Amino acid sequence: MEIKLTKLTLVNFKGIGNFEFKPDGKNATIQADNRKGKTTVADSFRYLLFGKNTKGQADFAIQPQDK
């Protein structure tokens, strides 16, 4: 089975207020400085597929962590 990501939209997921990623089914890389949300994006993708974050936890906070 092959899964291709065309678009990932995050709204109020962990520390991200609004983010849209459009790899259009192609290979893609997300690069940024530390503490800019790369792991949060990875957590969202793993949560959609497996119901767990990148650490394998199913009981992590998906609600915004900031006010």
Side-chain angles (χ1 to χ4, degrees), residues 11-60:
V11 178
N12 295 328
F13 185 88
K14 292 179 68 175
I16 295 179
N18 193 3
F19 175 77
E20 187 169 87
F21 178 55
K22 292 183 182 181
D24 294 323
K26 299 180 178 134
N27 292 338
T29 302
I30 295 177
Q31 296 177 317
D33 292 334
N34 291 340
R35 301 190 49 84
K36 296 297 180 188
K38 299 179 301 289
T39 301
T40 299
V41 172
D43 281 345
S44 70
F45 189 64
R46 297 248 335 204
Y47 179 71
L48 287 172
L49 293 176
F50 309 110
K52 298 180 180 180
N53 66 9
T54 53
K55 295 180 183 178
Q57 301 167 322
D59 60 345
F60 68 102

